[in-house]
Amino acid sequence: MSKVRKASEDADFRGPLDVMSAATFVLDGRDVVIGWSPAAQDLLGYPPDEVIGRPVGTFLSSVAAPAAEVWPADLIAAGAGGEPPIVPLPEHDLHLAVHRDGHRLYLVTAVCRLSGEGPAAQVLVAADRERLRDWESRLAMLQGLATQSPLGFAIYDTAFRLVWCNAASEVELGLPLEDVRGRLAEDLYPRGRFVTPGCPETLHAVMRQVIETGEPFLDLHFRGQQPSDPGKDHLWSCSYYRLEDTDGHVFGVCEDAFDISDRYEAQRQVNLLVEAGRRVGSTLDVIVTAEELADVAVPEFADLVQVDLAPAVLEGELPDVTGPEAPELIRASSRSSALLETSHTPGAPGGATGPATYPYGSPQHRSLASGGLVLEDDTLVVPLRAGGGALGIVTFVRGTGGGGTGIFGRDAVAVADELVARAAVSIDNARRYTRERSASLALQRQLLPQHLPSNSAVEVAHRYLPTDDLSGVGGDWFDVIPLSGTRVGLVVGDVVGHGLHAAATMGRLRTTVRALAPMDIPPDELLKLLDDLVGQSAQDNADALGTLAGDGDVAAGATCLYAVYDPVSRLCTMARAGHLPPAVVEPGGRVSFPDLPAGPPLGLGGLPFECLDVELPAGSLLALFTDGLVEARDRDIDKGLETLGRLLGEGTDCLEDLCDRVVAELLPGGTTTDDTALLLVRTRELDDRRVAAWQLPAEPVSAGRARELVAGRLTEWGLDELVFTTELIASELVTNAVRYAEGPLHLRLIHDRTLVCEVADAGHTAPHLRHSADDDEGGRGLFIVAQLVLRWGTRYCKEGKAIWTEQSLPPG
């Protein structure tokens, strides 16, 4: 600011030929100098006593004159003793002068003839040519600013009345200067205001501050209506600075203004597209994406935006809504500014996800019928197109204020088309994700247990929460599998990854476990078979794709926990493959996480799995879960396990309520970035009142003894109807064990939902059904047994094997 002021103070606003500042010579009728101004002495270096009385041609010559006619500086001094020659004044305006020190100057001269009595005949005014050129350039610049510049210049007095303006301002005002001179600034631009933060809002306030402080305002943005174009908002970039005369008196303020409406609108539209790229499509939700589009466009681009989609889009399908018949649409989003009059709102009312119908001939109907963009007055309808079909339409409306100018120009239509095209890509991506997620959820629901079978061994409750919409469906699963001898298999697993592949892999693993579990394989051996299956599947995929083993197979790295609970012995045998250990809650409320060997995740191979036997008193609580329950971005797994233990320890009689409490505290809102499976199991016990067991020697007489024992116990249990059949079954199983296996023998009856009969021996040879020939004396025992029971099978253990059967109980 100080530099600007210094330049202003040093500036000479008088012309170079101004008599008050230029070199002035007074000449008599013979062109002899009779007067010599101080400026002339400063310009040429001669004091008055060396010039007065000599012809002016002594030191001035025309540039057109020969060089010999130019008088050197010492010629004047040589003529001091006599009468100097008379040198006529050249008629040219440009002269060559010789400075007293000998250097030459080009001077521009002007002659003023004098009349009247006295010796003075004319006044010659001279100025340096370069200074005059600078002055003329300034005059030309001022002339251009006044007549040709696109910037508007205006001068207001200290009362804010218009004093002068250039041609650009006259065009803007729509009137010549003579018609607007003397009018107040705020009368010329009514209802206008400054929108630059931190400055006064009104014209008069800005001018007053400039006049009072002398501090200019630069590049203020003023919004208002142009007098020559009422009804349309314009934006100007304005600067204001104080005007002072040569004596420092303030006489007004100067305003320069440039209409930046088009540039501002173009920049705003570019910013709108940039903002849309940043905000629209932040989620894979169709409705949220539609709302983001409306939020971006209001009020920056339009005063009302309505996004209408075909119902199929919300379900993930790709419809085509174009055609002569107006299709059914759903109002996915609607946003309006406070400046929009309700009379401008087209179409039927309705909030988000409500129906949207349009009458025949409306812009929306015509857009749907033609499949193209429709512009009518202040309403613009653009179809949402993606994948070769139309997803819906977007309606933009501009009112008299707000984000628009009341109409959609060519540039605005192009911006709307680009905005909708970008949004269509995001909506289509969300639609595709919705379709895949729906398919994944449907597949997952079919692959997960639809209901868990009731049993006498345990009471169960479970929860499964799919991951949030962003991550996609995962591969967590759980199951409860009835086993022989009233035992039950408990399993929970987690497949790495998300999407259809993960859900399908989960189904493959669950099906495999359900197929292996009834074979009564110990948990560690079952996990080993499952590990081999996953590893072989990965290798098969690698061979087919020509890639490294395991690439592209989400099953590689899956985790699993498998446990078998026996309500007779109250023993729970468990093993895990890289999975979290279960939580065990004793009837008194003590919580522990058994030190169960982890084992490698499935598919890695090379390492063994180990079993752990845990005795669970009746009424114990066993919790099996996946890591999505206890691990989150804002919570480490140890904290999650601590919280889970506390909740389980508090306990409740109702397992369903306990499930709800655990999920509510560990997964607030019911959302998670990973699938979550939770299986709560409360153990039961089958005591001596429901179980009978005997040890028999491996002798033929044991078959008769078995019949006696079975008959007596069934009579005590009130199962007389099953005595004959069960005697036959027990007799055949004992006879078979005596003939083909080793002793001792163990006979066991279990009175549960079915009647279980088991004969265990020390052998490991599996019995086989076969058809005996007519002349065979034996070999029909197991065949007869198989016809009398619901199902039968063989269970192996370290000590040998057990052949078991199940019979239906009599009605009632």
Side-chain angles (χ1 to χ4, degrees):
M1 186 61 63
S2 60
K3 293 183 178 179
V4 174
R5 287 180 174 175
K6 178 62 177 174
S8 176
E9 292 169 359
D10 294 342
D12 189 352
F13 296 99
R14 297 169 298 185
L17 295 178
D18 183 91
V19 71
M20 298 180 65
S21 62
T24 306
F25 318 140
V26 181
L27 309 177
D28 62 11
R30 301 177 61 196
D31 292 334
V32 174
V33 179
I34 62 174
W36 188 252
S37 69
Q41 180 177 342
D42 293 339
L43 179 64
L44 296 177
Y46 298 106
D49 57 352
E50 295 182 4
V51 174
I52 294 176
R54 300 186 181 277
V56 71
T58 304
F59 51 87
L60 284 183
S61 65
S62 171
V63 286
E69 297 181 6
V70 179
W71 293 70
D74 58 347
L75 179 60
I76 299 178
E83 187 71 18
I86 299 175
V87 182
L89 182 68
E91 297 179 357
H92 299 287
D93 291 334
L94 181 63
H95 296 80
L96 182 64
V98 180
H99 194 274
R100 191 174 188 276
D101 61 10
H103 77 270
R104 300 183 178 186
L105 301 172
Y106 284 100
L107 302 181
V108 177
T109 63
V111 178
C112 178
R113 305 292 178 180
L114 302 178
S115 62
E117 299 180 358
Q122 54 187 335
V123 176
L124 186 145
V125 181
D128 183 73
R129 180 182 64 173
E130 295 304 321
R131 184 185 175 197
L132 182 63
R133 282 181 176 178
D134 290 342
W135 176 255
E136 289 176 342
S137 297
R138 295 178 185 178
L139 289 179
M141 178 190 67
L142 293 175
Q143 180 68 15
L145 291 176
T147 60
Q148 301 179 33
S149 173
L151 276 70
F153 286 90
I155 296 177
Y156 296 88
D157 62 17
T158 54
F160 319 131
R161 292 186 297 266
L162 180 64
V163 175
W164 175 88
C165 68
N166 67 346
S169 291
E170 288 183 327
V171 172
E172 186 177 283
L173 293 170
L175 294 171
L177 176 60
E178 291 73 14
D179 293 343
V180 293
R181 194 193 306 271
R183 294 181 60 178
L184 291 173
E186 291 187 355
D187 291 340
L188 296 174
Y189 297 93
R191 297 185 301 277
R193 63 185 182 89
F194 288 99
V195 294
T196 301
C199 78
E201 290 190 359
T202 65
L203 277 167
H204 288 179
V206 167
M207 293 181 183
R208 181 179 295 108
Q209 186 168 332
V210 170
I211 290 174
E212 292 176 352
T213 65
E215 297 291 333
F217 278 109
L218 305 178
D219 193 25
L220 300 183
H221 286 182
F222 181 79
R223 185 183 297 279
Q225 294 184 2
Q226 185 172 292
S228 60
D229 185 19
K232 178 182 177 181
D233 276 356
H234 285 251
L235 186 70
W236 289 271
S237 174
C238 304
S239 295
Y240 298 87
Y241 40 91
R242 190 167 69 181
L243 298 178
E244 301 176 4
D245 60 20
T246 56
D247 296 326
H249 297 123
V250 178
F251 65 86
V253 60
C254 182
E255 171 194 73
D256 66 71
F258 183 67
D259 193 334
I260 60 171
S261 302
D262 293 340
R263 186 180 69 185
Y264 175 78
E265 183 66 19
Q267 184 61 50
R268 190 176 68 160
Q269 291 172 357
V270 170
N271 294 341
L272 176 69
L273 294 178
V274 172
E275 183 70 5
R278 186 181 68 85
R279 292 175 54 187
V280 178
S282 63
T283 68
L284 289 171
D285 185 283
V286 173
I287 295 296
V288 172
T289 304
E291 292 174 345
E292 289 171 342
L293 170 60
D295 288 339
V296 167
V298 176
E300 291 300 318
F301 182 74
D303 296 305
L304 171 68
V305 174
Q306 294 174 328
V307 182
D308 303 324
L309 301 175
V313 175
L314 305 181
E315 300 171 1
E317 301 301 324
L318 179 62
D320 190 351
V321 301
T322 59
E325 297 296 330
E328 179 184 357
L329 296 176
I330 297 295
R331 178 65 45 75
S333 178
S334 180
R335 294 288 187 277
S336 63
S337 68
L339 298 174
L340 182 71
E341 299 177 6
T342 56
S343 60
H344 285 81
T345 305
T353 70
T357 57
Y358 296 98
Y360 182 85
S362 64
Q364 292 80 4
H365 181 272
R366 283 186 282 135
S367 177
L368 292 171
S370 64
L373 183 148
V374 174
L375 175 60
E376 182 178 288
D377 298 330
D378 57 2
T379 301
L380 174 63
V381 184
V382 183
L384 272 163
R385 305 192 66 86
L391 309 176
I393 57 174
V394 181
T395 301
F396 300 94
V397 179
R398 284 183 173 179
T400 57
T405 59
I407 60 173
F408 292 93
R410 179 181 302 176
D411 292 341
V413 171
V415 170
D417 197 28
E418 176 68 17
L419 184 63
V420 173
R422 295 187 182 188
V425 173
S426 299
I427 291 177
D428 190 52
N429 288 339
R431 176 194 65 81
R432 293 172 184 269
Y433 172 78
T434 299
R435 180 179 61 184
E436 179 176 342
R437 176 174 170 77
S438 298
S440 300
L441 283 173
L443 174 62
Q444 195 173 45
R445 292 190 189 99
Q446 292 299 319
L447 295 176
L448 286 172
Q450 302 303 305
H451 65 278
L452 297 180
S454 58
N455 60 85
S456 300
V458 293
E459 175 191 359
V460 298
H462 59 88
R463 293 291 183 272
Y464 175 78
L465 280 75
T467 187
D468 57 31
D469 290 343
L470 185 61
S471 303
V473 175
D476 291 12
W477 92 93
F478 62 92
D479 211 344
V480 177
I481 306 171
L483 302 177
S484 64
T486 67
R487 296 170 309 129
V488 64
L490 308 170
V491 60
V492 64
D494 186 356
V495 174
V496 176
H498 298 91
L500 280 172
H501 199 180
T505 302
M506 175 271 289
R508 214 170 72 212
L509 296 180
R510 176 174 176 263
T511 302
T512 302
V513 173
R514 289 193 69 87
L516 294 175
M519 297 171 64
D520 288 315
I521 303 174
D524 57 339
E525 296 183 18
L526 184 144
L527 291 181
K528 180 62 173 65
L529 293 174
L530 199 62
D531 178 64
D532 293 341
L533 175 68
V534 172
Q536 183 60 44
S537 175
Q539 183 61 50
D540 292 343
N541 288 343
D543 294 342
L545 298 174
T547 59
L548 295 175
D551 286 0
D553 190 344
V554 297
T559 65
C560 183
L561 168 66
Y562 181 63
V564 176
Y565 174 69
D566 186 344
V568 177
S569 64
R570 293 181 285 103
L571 197 66
C572 183
T573 303
M574 59 185 74
R576 62 182 177 131
H579 204 84
L580 292 173
V584 177
V585 185
E586 298 177 0
R590 180 177 176 271
V591 182
S592 64
F593 293 89
D595 188 15
L596 177 61
L602 298 175
L604 298 185
L607 295 175
F609 301 96
E610 299 181 44
C611 283
L612 177 68
D613 293 333
V614 179
E615 185 175 351
L616 300 177
S620 297
L621 182 64
L622 189 65
L624 289 74
F625 51 89
T626 58
D627 56 2
L629 180 69
V630 294
E631 188 175 23
R633 294 191 182 100
D634 57 347
R635 180 186 63 223
D636 60 39
I637 195 168
D638 292 335
K639 181 64 176 178
L641 291 174
E642 179 184 345
T643 303
L644 175 63
R646 174 178 56 80
L647 294 171
L648 295 176
E650 293 173 356
T652 179
D653 293 336
C654 179
L655 291 185
E656 295 292 339
D657 292 344
L658 184 56
C659 276
D660 291 338
R661 286 172 50 193
V662 169
V663 170
E665 182 154 345
L666 288 173
L667 303 175
T671 60
T672 174
T673 55
D674 193 8
D675 279 21
T676 298
L678 171 64
L679 180 64
L680 295 184
V681 177
R682 178 168 287 146
T683 62
R684 294 169 177 161
E685 179 185 11
L686 295 180
D687 55 22
D688 294 342
R689 292 171 298 176
R690 308 288 295 276
V691 180
W694 304 275
Q695 182 173 323
L696 302 173
E699 300 174 355
V701 296
S702 294
R705 178 60 179 162
R707 288 194 295 270
E708 295 175 2
L709 295 173
V710 166
R713 182 51 59 98
L714 292 182
T715 300
E716 293 179 11
W717 285 344
L719 300 177
D720 296 324
E721 297 180 25
L722 299 181
V723 170
F724 176 78
T725 304
T726 309
E727 284 181 331
L728 178 58
I729 292 171
S731 176
E732 290 294 336
L733 294 181
V734 169
T735 301
N736 189 72
V738 170
R739 181 175 299 177
Y740 298 106
E742 302 175 1
L745 308 180
H746 297 273
L747 172 64
R748 186 169 71 166
L749 293 178
I750 300 176
H751 182 194
D752 191 36
R753 297 173 186 269
T754 61
L755 179 63
V756 179
C757 179
E758 295 180 349
V759 175
D761 56 53
H764 290 83
T765 304
H768 298 283
L769 286 177
R770 65 185 181 89
H771 291 280
S772 301
D774 293 341
D775 57 350
D776 287 344
E777 296 182 358
R780 299 180 178 86
L782 281 181
F783 183 81
I784 294 173
V785 170
Q787 307 305 310
L788 297 177
V789 298
L790 289 174
R791 59 187 185 125
W792 72 281
T794 304
R795 180 173 69 251
Y796 293 90
C797 61
K798 296 179 180 179
E799 293 79 15
K801 69 177 184 298
I803 301 175
W804 54 268
T805 66
E806 287 188 11
Q807 302 174 70
S808 298
L809 298 178

